[in-house]
Amino acid sequence: MARVPFFGPMLLGLLLLMPGAMTGCGVIVRGVDRGVSATANSDLFHQGRHGELTEQEETWAKIAWRYFENNHNPKTGLVNSVDRYPATTMWHTADYLGAMVSARELDIITPCEFDERLSRLMHFFNTMPLCFNELPNKVYNTQTGAMVDYTNQPGEVGWSAMDLGRLLSWLYIVKCRYPIYSEYIDKAVLRWTFCRVVDNCGTLYGGLKVHNAANTFQEGRLGYEEYCARGYQLWGFDTTQASRIEPYEKATLYGIEFPYDSRDVRETGTYAPVLSMGYLLDGLEFNWDRTDQRQGWDSIHSDTDMATIADAIYRVQEARFENDHVFTARTDHQVAGPPYFVYDSIFAAGYPWNVISDSGTYHKEQALVSTRAAFAMWGLWETPYTDRLMELLHCLNDPEKGWYEGRMENTGSHMKLITAGTNAAVLETLFYKADGKLSACVDPNDAFPRPYYDLNVENPFTEEGKCLPLERTGCVP
């Protein structure tokens, strides 16, 4: 996602990606190569953990779902991004959809409870106010459904292309797994106008409201950008530029090469740290496969670039534990006080294991063994290291509230902030273990030969001017 300010004392602002890490100290940095190659593990293509959940794992899933029970607002159908704070983003609303599907499939909730929750949310999607009457705003009040700013006061902020990409993925997965709801989901997406969020060359743009106008900017960096582009692809959009791995350079830690986004912070104004979660969500939800490969899955990951990078980023963290005896499961995360949100990286701004805010200030004290990163790594890599991570973190929860953000790397204390993102990741991981690739489902056309979305996209008069896929004229650089 892109940079985001945060809500007062419990700031939301999740994952909005940033650009350009620089080369630097203590790391071997190489120039741009053609193609990404794995040096970490010759047996790259693997399956994670699979099989029926144990009694303990079922308990873990129920604890995670408790967060969504506690933070659900029946009037709007929305769930708070942070425990007890009444605001959310579209990224966290996608978290809720992923958690809801996982809870339904793991029999934590009944089909009728699932229907009630999803129906409320679909009503919100079909009636929600849109920023500039085009796209979902970055932030909504979960009690009223109103667009709000970063202080949770009424107002438009703009939109995040990354947030919307993840939401589009989960809306598609829901209608793919449960085609009976397809019409209502399609109607919600058809309310959007896509002209300024994705161009004909497949570049994704965020929007920021400035003096009552929308200033657009290219949004997304290596990892999150490619993952979020999948959502647009599922709805028929070309994301050629957003799905490209380039531009990147390579760094080496513990003999393991991994790429980092080489766009320069001095030119882009944002940092581009190497983070885990974009690759981990891509593994859980898509098995590192192309979006045209939806039915089933096996040990071959058809998006080899993303699979290779994900494996290298996991192996670097495992190697840090083996060599330096430091438990490591890093990704971006929220913190309870200033700066409210940090990029807890493998590599950022030229330094390994750098922890920076969106302004680039250093916050070593906020390094975290992240619960959501550790759970996802445990699900995707069945190794002695991920077993030990779960030994370290399996008590980091309040059974009545949900899972904590993690354990502080420097002191070992619990970081007791409780969020939608972490609890959704726990549920997604456990559903992945029980069922495999989360996006595996039948093509909606097999259930309904002429889905509502397709009929309207193909009709040039029904949705004219919204820049839907068939309105596109091709890339003109």
mmCIF file of all heavy atoms in Angstrom, residues 7 41 140 224-225 286 334 361 389 392 395 416 439:
data_model
loop_
_atom_site.group_PDB
_atom_site.id
_atom_site.type_symbol
_atom_site.label_atom_id
_atom_site.label_comp_id
_atom_site.label_asym_id
_atom_site.label_seq_id
_atom_site.Cartn_x
_atom_site.Cartn_y
_atom_site.Cartn_z
ATOM 1 N N PHE A 7 -4.552 7.313 12.784
ATOM 2 C CA PHE A 7 -5.633 7.843 13.582
ATOM 3 C C PHE A 7 -5.158 8.098 14.992
ATOM 4 O O PHE A 7 -4.939 7.168 15.738
ATOM 5 C CB PHE A 7 -6.766 6.849 13.685
ATOM 6 C CG PHE A 7 -7.409 6.538 12.403
ATOM 7 C CD1 PHE A 7 -7.502 5.238 11.973
ATOM 8 C CD2 PHE A 7 -7.923 7.534 11.619
ATOM 9 C CE1 PHE A 7 -8.110 4.952 10.794
ATOM 10 C CE2 PHE A 7 -8.538 7.233 10.437
ATOM 11 C CZ PHE A 7 -8.630 5.943 10.026
ATOM 12 N N ASN A 41 17.471 -21.856 -1.689
ATOM 13 C CA ASN A 41 16.969 -23.206 -1.529
ATOM 14 C C ASN A 41 16.726 -23.800 -2.900
ATOM 15 O O ASN A 41 15.872 -23.348 -3.638
ATOM 16 C CB ASN A 41 15.661 -23.177 -0.720
ATOM 17 C CG ASN A 41 15.099 -24.571 -0.508
ATOM 18 O OD1 ASN A 41 15.808 -25.552 -0.630
ATOM 19 N ND2 ASN A 41 13.813 -24.633 -0.182
ATOM 20 N N TYR A 140 -13.216 4.813 6.645
ATOM 21 C CA TYR A 140 -14.635 4.952 6.967
ATOM 22 C C TYR A 140 -14.838 4.764 8.461
ATOM 23 O O TYR A 140 -14.135 3.973 9.102
ATOM 24 C CB TYR A 140 -15.478 3.908 6.214
ATOM 25 C CG TYR A 140 -15.627 4.202 4.744
ATOM 26 C CD1 TYR A 140 -14.633 3.829 3.836
ATOM 27 C CD2 TYR A 140 -16.742 4.868 4.250
ATOM 28 C CE1 TYR A 140 -14.751 4.099 2.482
ATOM 29 C CE2 TYR A 140 -16.882 5.147 2.897
ATOM 30 C CZ TYR A 140 -15.880 4.759 2.021
ATOM 31 O OH TYR A 140 -15.999 5.042 0.679
ATOM 32 N N TYR A 224 4.136 -5.878 -2.373
ATOM 33 C CA TYR A 224 2.731 -5.518 -2.253
ATOM 34 C C TYR A 224 2.114 -5.148 -3.610
ATOM 35 O O TYR A 224 0.954 -5.450 -3.885
ATOM 36 C CB TYR A 224 2.556 -4.348 -1.286
ATOM 37 C CG TYR A 224 2.521 -4.762 0.169
ATOM 38 C CD1 TYR A 224 3.462 -4.277 1.072
ATOM 39 C CD2 TYR A 224 1.548 -5.630 0.642
ATOM 40 C CE1 TYR A 224 3.432 -4.638 2.410
ATOM 41 C CE2 TYR A 224 1.507 -6.003 1.977
ATOM 42 C CZ TYR A 224 2.450 -5.511 2.858
ATOM 43 O OH TYR A 224 2.413 -5.875 4.183
ATOM 44 N N GLU A 225 2.877 -4.474 -4.461
ATOM 45 C CA GLU A 225 2.319 -4.015 -5.731
ATOM 46 C C GLU A 225 1.884 -5.185 -6.603
ATOM 47 O O GLU A 225 0.761 -5.211 -7.133
ATOM 48 C CB GLU A 225 3.344 -3.158 -6.479
ATOM 49 C CG GLU A 225 2.823 -2.567 -7.773
ATOM 50 C CD GLU A 225 3.819 -1.630 -8.442
ATOM 51 O OE1 GLU A 225 5.002 -1.615 -8.032
ATOM 52 O OE2 GLU A 225 3.416 -0.915 -9.372
ATOM 53 N N PHE A 286 -2.977 -17.112 -3.092
ATOM 54 C CA PHE A 286 -2.835 -17.467 -4.505
ATOM 55 C C PHE A 286 -1.812 -18.568 -4.768
ATOM 56 O O PHE A 286 -1.636 -18.949 -5.928
ATOM 57 C CB PHE A 286 -2.460 -16.217 -5.310
ATOM 58 C CG PHE A 286 -3.542 -15.177 -5.338
ATOM 59 C CD1 PHE A 286 -3.487 -14.072 -4.504
ATOM 60 C CD2 PHE A 286 -4.632 -15.307 -6.179
ATOM 61 C CE1 PHE A 286 -4.487 -13.105 -4.518
ATOM 62 C CE2 PHE A 286 -5.643 -14.343 -6.194
ATOM 63 C CZ PHE A 286 -5.565 -13.247 -5.361
ATOM 64 N N GLN A 334 1.758 -1.872 13.138
ATOM 65 C CA GLN A 334 1.377 -0.712 13.925
ATOM 66 C C GLN A 334 2.027 -0.763 15.303
ATOM 67 O O GLN A 334 2.419 -1.828 15.782
ATOM 68 C CB GLN A 334 -0.148 -0.662 14.057
ATOM 69 C CG GLN A 334 -0.823 -0.554 12.705
ATOM 70 C CD GLN A 334 -2.310 -0.388 12.806
ATOM 71 O OE1 GLN A 334 -2.792 0.531 13.437
ATOM 72 N NE2 GLN A 334 -3.060 -1.256 12.151
ATOM 73 N N THR A 361 12.714 7.939 9.707
ATOM 74 C CA THR A 361 13.392 7.944 11.001
ATOM 75 C C THR A 361 13.569 6.512 11.512
ATOM 76 O O THR A 361 12.742 5.636 11.256
ATOM 77 C CB THR A 361 12.611 8.779 12.031
ATOM 78 O OG1 THR A 361 11.272 8.274 12.131
ATOM 79 C CG2 THR A 361 12.565 10.233 11.610
ATOM 80 N N LEU A 389 9.273 -20.812 15.941
ATOM 81 C CA LEU A 389 8.554 -19.534 15.985
ATOM 82 C C LEU A 389 7.204 -19.689 16.684
ATOM 83 O O LEU A 389 6.814 -18.855 17.497
ATOM 84 C CB LEU A 389 8.327 -19.006 14.566
ATOM 85 C CG LEU A 389 9.427 -18.182 13.912
ATOM 86 C CD1 LEU A 389 9.026 -17.830 12.478
ATOM 87 C CD2 LEU A 389 9.725 -16.912 14.704
ATOM 88 N N LEU A 392 7.443 -19.888 20.325
ATOM 89 C CA LEU A 392 7.710 -18.574 20.902
ATOM 90 C C LEU A 392 6.447 -17.723 21.021
ATOM 91 O O LEU A 392 6.312 -16.924 21.944
ATOM 92 C CB LEU A 392 8.738 -17.838 20.029
ATOM 93 C CG LEU A 392 9.169 -16.443 20.484
ATOM 94 C CD1 LEU A 392 10.103 -16.548 21.696
ATOM 95 C CD2 LEU A 392 9.858 -15.704 19.343
ATOM 96 N N CYS A 395 1.437 -18.298 22.837
ATOM 97 C CA CYS A 395 0.712 -17.757 23.995
ATOM 98 C C CYS A 395 0.352 -16.287 23.844
ATOM 99 O O CYS A 395 -0.269 -15.708 24.752
ATOM 100 C CB CYS A 395 1.553 -17.929 25.267
ATOM 101 S SG CYS A 395 1.759 -19.651 25.774
ATOM 102 N N LYS A 416 0.944 -5.743 22.933
ATOM 103 C CA LYS A 416 -0.434 -6.169 23.125
ATOM 104 C C LYS A 416 -1.464 -5.413 22.296
ATOM 105 O O LYS A 416 -2.659 -5.523 22.561
ATOM 106 C CB LYS A 416 -0.794 -6.102 24.609
ATOM 107 C CG LYS A 416 -0.044 -7.142 25.445
ATOM 108 C CD LYS A 416 -0.568 -7.221 26.864
ATOM 109 C CE LYS A 416 0.111 -8.347 27.629
ATOM 110 N NZ LYS A 416 -0.430 -8.469 29.014
ATOM 111 N N SER A 439 -7.737 -19.028 -2.902
ATOM 112 C CA SER A 439 -8.460 -18.563 -4.081
ATOM 113 C C SER A 439 -8.867 -19.701 -5.001
ATOM 114 O O SER A 439 -9.442 -19.459 -6.062
ATOM 115 C CB SER A 439 -7.613 -17.553 -4.869
ATOM 116 O OG SER A 439 -6.422 -18.157 -5.342
#
